[in-house]
Amino acid sequence: MIYLTRIEHFNAAHKLFNPDWDFQKNEEVFGKCANDNWHGHNYELYVTVKGEPNPDTGFVFDVKKLGEIIRDQVLEKIDHRNLNVDVDFMKGLMCSTENLAIGIWNELKKYLPQEVVLHCIKLYETPKIYVEYFG
Amino acid sequence: MIYLTRIEHFNAAHKLFNPDWDFQKNEEVFGKCANDNWHGHNYELYVTVKGEPNPDTGFVFDVKKLGEIIRDQVLEKIDHRNLNVDVDFMKGLMCSTENLAIGIWNELKKYLPQEVVLHCIKLYETPKIYVEYFG
Amino acid sequence: MIYLTRIEHFNAAHKLFNPDWDFQKNEEVFGKCANDNWHGHNYELYVTVKGEPNPDTGFVFDVKKLGEIIRDQVLEKIDHRNLNVDVDFMKGLMCSTENLAIGIWNELKKYLPQEVVLHCIKLYETPKIYVEYFG
Amino acid sequence: MIYLTRIEHFNAAHKLFNPDWDFQKNEEVFGKCANDNWHGHNYELYVTVKGEPNPDTGFVFDVKKLGEIIRDQVLEKIDHRNLNVDVDFMKGLMCSTENLAIGIWNELKKYLPQEVVLHCIKLYETPKIYVEYFG
Amino acid sequence: MIYLTRIEHFNAAHKLFNPDWDFQKNEEVFGKCANDNWHGHNYELYVTVKGEPNPDTGFVFDVKKLGEIIRDQVLEKIDHRNLNVDVDFMKGLMCSTENLAIGIWNELKKYLPQEVVLHCIKLYETPKIYVEYFG
Amino acid sequence: MIYLTRIEHFNAAHKLFNPDWDFQKNEEVFGKCANDNWHGHNYELYVTVKGEPNPDTGFVFDVKKLGEIIRDQVLEKIDHRNLNVDVDFMKGLMCSTENLAIGIWNELKKYLPQEVVLHCIKLYETPKIYVEYFG
């Protein structure tokens, strides 16, 4: 078994704000991340798939094709967007890095061909914070 | 002469939108960066000052103090903010990395003590794009 | 299950020296790392916790609080210190990156709230060497 | 159990070309990577071993010795080489990063002393693509 | 005056070999870099242009357009190529990073619009070696 | 004119302590950096030389030879050392990054052949702090 990882980049605006709470509670819990007028990030997205190398190509999966699927099916929906407002698969969810990683997993899984198994979504929100989701 | 650089991090939302143009022209010129609901970035800010080392300390300038001035006088105004909406010194300006670097230079210059000379503001908008301003 | 990682930085002096051996044996085994007058490193510390996101916040754990606990309970004891001399939890142990990672795990575990599970301590000693400890 | 990782660097030429296919099929599948006159990469190699720290040294394994074994037994055969032409352990295999990681695992395993267990070969082909192999 | 830098990535095969010298002299001077069957690198290319920000856009130059020109006019000729064999503008020159940076400068200069001034080509051959050329 | 940079790594212990001041004044000025038992860093050293490429080699200067001179003449004296205690060329000087960069410049200049001109010593003390010295 080989694990193959492709790294892609996107950037987006968001805020952390729970609509069931008043503004003061949101500020207490989320601090500057609750800023009403949004803030944003450069996200680094690591997508790991796994499988056995095909003897004809040496590939677990064509990494260029993997990059295209990530860009066409996921980044197209979130890059240069407002994650709270513009992204269907984040509707009704708190816009944390944790939930964004789960959302990306669910989205990507629909579009990956059967021959390849999604193993991990790793998502850097800042150079000092990342989350990992294994499904 | 020694050049001393302190690197700080902030993140913010913005959009590129010229209010003198209609939406279509903005889209033509700025593409996804004109997204009405904003997008955002992790910015890496490099502040370089210059001078001769003080023989008593070996310092051109106390780099901890430099970090504090950057955080208190500049990042406090732009970190986790909307650069178009929340930042006084960007009012009336296009919210490009170029103009943001000039704005940071002007702001920081007011608060640096006379003993140290500001040499360069270098600002990464993404890991593949940065600008430099020398005043 | 989501894995959340916070990266923090510290620097410290240390040496590799086994007091049960003479100087020559220490030099043979540890080479330049046995230098009597110490050497030092910038360490990069990756702390990974795991859990399910809280629906109210979207967080496995508040990453700012995680950073504070790491800084207040661990870095306060090791940052800008001599790991062999100044650090209670390294007393009587060889001051290797391996033992330092185990020590940080044990220390941090005492101070993390019950709602969160410590998963991994990853510690870079140089940009080319790191260790991981999972308890 | 502690996991210890040593990172080494090498660079090499290669191409992706299946001799059972004609040139057109190779171009279709491998695109620019099939360029007849080769292309090349800077590879970053992460070698992870595991074990319990020796109380006398604090080491799972002497990381300097690990670096030497990697350089003497593996990099000597692949650094500044043509992976398709110059490397015995890649003969008859497609020259993908997947197969190269497996080849490095097999080679390194022969030369690691019994006291240490090889855990993972991680290999970056570009800053955006890596594979992992756990044997 | 603002300096704007765009970073792009390419990879290529090359060797260092002076055809006026015999094989032994080439080995003496260039060591492993003279390997007859080539080796290769991931190159990081920093292109810096300078000018005054346009008040309508805030841009010295549209950085997306800059990226397109670099990719279409330069990377198209060198990415996934053999620099000694496949690249017209390196013909008759030693294939060093120094000469490659000068070649990229000359090539790019032809295709940049008059409104923008090329300031610097910075080229990383490995993570530990780079050159800069200012024309 | 081409500028060629070689990056090398070393690590060392030091403290910031002015012997003309009492302990309290040292603590006020240098904070944790005055810790009596030392602390330490991984330093990244960038050495830039300049010149015109030699047509026979394409080199401003042989970058392998540059690396050897840096390691043999400079790193040998400071790597895995105590900068305050073990290093002749820092005797009597405050052990700041500024003074260390000047010391490295002076040392290296003695050992570089006449055919190459030293242009800059750039020295990272932490990933967020560096100094540059141009002689």
Side-chain angles (χ1 to χ4, degrees):
Chain A
M1 183 77 79
I2 288 269
Y3 297 77
L4 168 69
T5 299
R6 172 78 190 179
I7 301 170
E8 294 284 346
H9 177 92
F10 65 96
N11 48 69
H14 82 143
K15 69 177 158 188
L16 293 171
F17 188 87
N18 185 331
D20 297 342
W21 296 344
D22 61 15
F23 186 73
Q24 197 187 333
K25 173 100 194 249
N26 273 291
E27 278 244 308
E28 269 169 46
V29 173
F30 298 120
K32 292 187 297 183
C33 299
N35 177 37
D36 205 34
N37 290 322
W38 322 97
H39 65 285
H41 298 288
N42 299 330
Y43 292 89
E44 297 289 330
L45 171 62
Y46 291 59
V47 174
T48 304
V49 299
K50 62 184 173 187
E52 306 226 359
N54 179 328
D56 286 343
T57 58
F59 290 170
V60 164
F61 188 64
D62 181 344
V63 77
K64 267 184 320 199
K65 209 173 288 175
L66 180 56
E68 281 165 26
I69 296 172
I70 299 169
R71 288 191 298 273
D72 292 351
Q73 305 299 345
V74 176
L75 300 198
E76 188 59 35
K77 294 163 189 157
I78 57 182
D79 183 35
H80 283 79
R81 304 282 181 174
N82 184 312
L83 299 173
N84 301 61
V85 176
D86 297 330
V87 179
D88 277 357
F89 66 75
M90 292 302 287
K91 286 278 156 66
L93 295 168
M94 290 301 299
C95 208
S96 67
T97 318
E98 286 91 332
N99 282 340
L100 184 55
I102 297 172
I104 290 170
W105 172 285
N106 291 335
E107 207 61 17
L108 201 57
K109 223 170 152 66
K110 292 188 231 166
Y111 298 101
L112 281 179
Q114 285 202 314
E115 72 200 82
V116 71
V117 178
L118 185 58
H119 174 67
C120 181
I121 297 295
K122 177 176 173 178
L123 186 58
Y124 271 90
E125 187 188 60
T126 76
K128 295 178 71 175
I129 300 169
Y130 66 82
V131 304
E132 290 160 296
Y133 181 60
F134 297 85
Chain B
M1 183 77 78
I2 287 269
Y3 297 78
L4 167 70
T5 299
R6 172 79 191 179
I7 302 170
E8 295 285 344
H9 178 91
F10 65 95
N11 48 70
H14 81 145
K15 69 177 159 189
L16 293 172
F17 188 85
N18 184 331
D20 297 341
W21 298 343
D22 62 15
F23 186 73
Q24 197 186 331
K25 173 97 194 256
N26 273 289
E27 278 244 308
E28 269 171 46
V29 174
F30 298 119
K32 291 188 295 183
C33 298
N35 177 35
D36 205 33
N37 291 322
W38 321 97
H39 66 285
H41 297 287
N42 299 329
Y43 292 88
E44 298 287 333
L45 172 61
Y46 292 57
V47 174
T48 302
V49 298
K50 62 184 173 187
E52 305 226 0
N54 178 326
D56 286 343
T57 58
F59 290 169
V60 164
F61 188 62
D62 180 345
V63 77
K64 270 184 318 201
K65 209 172 288 175
L66 180 58
E68 282 164 26
I69 295 172
I70 299 170
R71 289 191 298 274
D72 292 351
Q73 304 300 345
V74 176
L75 300 197
E76 188 59 35
K77 294 164 188 155
I78 57 182
D79 184 36
H80 282 78
R81 306 280 181 175
N82 184 313
L83 299 173
N84 300 62
V85 177
D86 296 331
V87 179
D88 277 357
F89 67 75
M90 294 301 288
K91 287 277 157 67
L93 295 169
M94 289 301 298
C95 208
S96 66
T97 317
E98 285 90 332
N99 282 340
L100 184 55
I102 296 172
I104 290 170
W105 171 285
N106 290 335
E107 206 62 19
L108 200 58
K109 223 168 152 64
K110 292 188 233 165
Y111 298 101
L112 281 178
Q114 284 201 316
E115 72 199 81
V116 69
V117 178
L118 185 57
H119 174 68
C120 181
I121 296 296
K122 177 176 173 179
L123 186 59
Y124 270 89
E125 186 189 60
T126 77
K128 296 176 70 174
I129 300 169
Y130 66 82
V131 303
E132 290 159 296
Y133 181 59
F134 298 85
Chain C
M1 184 75 80
I2 289 268
Y3 298 77
L4 168 69
T5 299
R6 174 78 191 180
I7 302 169
E8 294 285 346
H9 178 92
F10 65 95
N11 48 69
H14 82 144
K15 69 176 159 188
L16 293 171
F17 189 86
N18 185 331
D20 297 342
W21 296 344
D22 61 15
F23 186 73
Q24 196 186 333
K25 173 100 193 254
N26 272 291
E27 278 243 310
E28 267 170 48
V29 174
F30 298 119
K32 291 187 296 182
C33 298
N35 177 36
D36 204 32
N37 291 322
W38 322 97
H39 66 285
H41 298 288
N42 299 329
Y43 292 88
E44 297 289 330
L45 171 62
Y46 292 58
V47 174
T48 302
V49 298
K50 63 185 173 186
E52 306 227 359
N54 179 326
D56 286 343
T57 58
F59 290 169
V60 165
F61 188 63
D62 181 344
V63 77
K64 268 183 317 201
K65 210 173 289 175
L66 180 56
E68 281 164 26
I69 295 171
I70 300 169
R71 289 191 297 272
D72 293 350
Q73 305 299 345
V74 176
L75 300 197
E76 188 60 33
K77 293 163 188 155
I78 55 182
D79 184 35
H80 283 79
R81 305 280 182 176
N82 184 313
L83 298 172
N84 300 61
V85 175
D86 296 330
V87 179
D88 277 357
F89 66 76
M90 293 302 288
K91 286 277 156 67
L93 295 169
M94 289 301 299
C95 208
S96 67
T97 318
E98 287 91 330
N99 282 340
L100 184 55
I102 296 172
I104 290 171
W105 172 285
N106 291 335
E107 206 62 19
L108 200 58
K109 225 171 151 61
K110 293 189 231 165
Y111 298 101
L112 281 179
Q114 284 202 317
E115 72 200 82
V116 71
V117 178
L118 185 57
H119 175 67
C120 182
I121 296 296
K122 177 176 173 178
L123 187 59
Y124 271 90
E125 186 188 61
T126 76
K128 297 178 70 175
I129 300 170
Y130 65 84
V131 304
E132 290 160 296
Y133 181 59
F134 297 85
Chain D
M1 183 77 80
I2 288 270
Y3 297 78
L4 168 70
T5 300
R6 173 78 191 179
I7 302 168
E8 294 284 346
H9 178 93
F10 65 96
N11 49 69
H14 82 144
K15 69 177 159 187
L16 293 170
F17 188 86
N18 184 331
D20 297 342
W21 297 343
D22 62 15
F23 186 73
Q24 197 186 334
K25 173 99 193 254
N26 273 291
E27 278 244 308
E28 268 170 48
V29 174
F30 298 119
K32 291 186 296 183
C33 298
N35 178 35
D36 205 34
N37 291 323
W38 322 96
H39 66 285
H41 297 288
N42 299 329
Y43 292 88
E44 297 288 331
L45 172 61
Y46 292 58
V47 174
T48 303
V49 298
K50 61 183 173 189
E52 306 226 0
N54 179 327
D56 285 343
T57 58
F59 290 168
V60 164
F61 188 64
D62 180 345
V63 77
K64 267 183 319 199
K65 209 173 289 176
L66 181 55
E68 282 165 25
I69 296 171
I70 300 169
R71 288 191 297 272
D72 291 352
Q73 304 298 345
V74 176
L75 300 197
E76 188 60 33
K77 294 162 188 155
I78 56 182
D79 184 37
H80 282 80
R81 305 280 182 175
N82 184 313
L83 298 173
N84 301 61
V85 176
D86 296 330
V87 180
D88 277 357
F89 67 76
M90 294 301 288
K91 286 277 157 67
L93 295 169
M94 289 301 299
C95 208
S96 67
T97 318
E98 286 91 332
N99 282 340
L100 184 55
I102 296 172
I104 290 170
W105 171 286
N106 291 335
E107 207 61 20
L108 201 57
K109 227 173 149 58
K110 292 188 232 165
Y111 297 101
L112 280 179
Q114 283 200 316
E115 73 201 80
V116 70
V117 179
L118 184 58
H119 175 67
C120 182
I121 296 295
K122 177 175 173 179
L123 186 58
Y124 271 90
E125 186 188 59
T126 76
K128 296 178 71 174
I129 300 169
Y130 65 83
V131 305
E132 290 159 296
Y133 181 59
F134 298 86
Chain E
M1 182 77 79
I2 289 270
Y3 297 78
L4 168 71
T5 299
R6 173 79 191 179
I7 302 169
E8 295 285 345
H9 178 93
F10 65 95
N11 48 69
H14 82 145
K15 69 176 158 189
L16 293 172
F17 188 87
N18 185 332
D20 296 342
W21 297 342
D22 62 17
F23 186 72
Q24 196 185 333
K25 172 101 193 251
N26 273 290
E27 278 244 308
E28 267 171 44
V29 173
F30 298 120
K32 292 187 296 183
C33 298
N35 177 37
D36 204 33
N37 291 323
W38 322 97
H39 65 285
H41 297 287
N42 298 330
Y43 292 88
E44 297 288 332
L45 172 61
Y46 292 58
V47 174
T48 302
V49 297
K50 63 184 173 186
E52 307 226 357
N54 178 327
D56 286 344
T57 58
F59 290 169
V60 164
F61 189 62
D62 180 346
V63 76
K64 269 183 318 200
K65 210 172 289 174
L66 180 56
E68 282 165 26
I69 296 171
I70 299 169
R71 288 191 298 274
D72 292 352
Q73 304 300 345
V74 176
L75 300 197
E76 188 59 35
K77 294 163 188 155
I78 56 182
D79 185 36
H80 283 79
R81 305 282 182 175
N82 184 312
L83 299 173
N84 300 62
V85 176
D86 296 332
V87 179
D88 278 357
F89 67 76
M90 293 301 289
K91 287 277 159 67
L93 294 169
M94 289 301 298
C95 209
S96 66
T97 318
E98 285 90 331
N99 281 341
L100 184 54
I102 296 172
I104 290 171
W105 171 285
N106 290 335
E107 206 63 19
L108 200 56
K109 222 169 153 62
K110 292 189 231 163
Y111 298 101
L112 281 179
Q114 284 201 317
E115 71 199 82
V116 69
V117 177
L118 184 57
H119 175 68
C120 182
I121 296 296
K122 177 177 173 179
L123 187 59
Y124 270 90
E125 186 189 59
T126 77
K128 295 176 72 175
I129 301 169
Y130 65 83
V131 304
E132 290 160 296
Y133 181 59
F134 297 86
Chain F
M1 183 77 78
I2 288 269
Y3 297 78
L4 168 70
T5 299
R6 173 77 190 180
I7 302 170
E8 295 285 345
H9 178 92
F10 65 97
N11 48 70
H14 81 144
K15 69 176 159 188
L16 293 172
F17 188 85
N18 184 332
D20 296 342
W21 297 343
D22 61 17
F23 186 71
Q24 196 185 333
K25 173 100 194 252
N26 273 290
E27 277 245 309
E28 268 170 46
V29 173
F30 298 119
K32 292 188 295 184
C33 298
N35 177 37
D36 204 33
N37 291 323
W38 321 96
H39 65 286
H41 298 288
N42 299 329
Y43 292 88
E44 297 289 332
L45 172 62
Y46 292 59
V47 174
T48 303
V49 298
K50 62 185 173 187
E52 306 227 358
N54 178 326
D56 286 343
T57 59
F59 290 169
V60 164
F61 188 64
D62 181 344
V63 77
K64 269 185 317 201
K65 209 172 289 175
L66 180 56
E68 281 164 27
I69 295 171
I70 300 170
R71 288 191 298 273
D72 292 351
Q73 304 299 345
V74 177
L75 300 198
E76 188 60 35
K77 293 164 189 156
I78 56 181
D79 184 35
H80 283 78
R81 305 280 182 175
N82 184 312
L83 300 173
N84 300 61
V85 176
D86 296 332
V87 179
D88 278 357
F89 67 76
M90 293 301 288
K91 287 276 158 68
L93 294 169
M94 289 301 300
C95 207
S96 66
T97 318
E98 286 90 331
N99 282 339
L100 184 55
I102 297 172
I104 291 170
W105 172 285
N106 290 335
E107 206 62 19
L108 200 58
K109 224 167 152 62
K110 292 188 233 164
Y111 298 101
L112 281 179
Q114 284 202 316
E115 72 200 81
V116 71
V117 178
L118 184 57
H119 174 67
C120 181
I121 296 296
K122 178 176 172 179
L123 186 59
Y124 271 89
E125 185 189 60
T126 77
K128 296 176 71 174
I129 299 169
Y130 65 81
V131 304
E132 290 159 296
Y133 181 60
F134 297 85

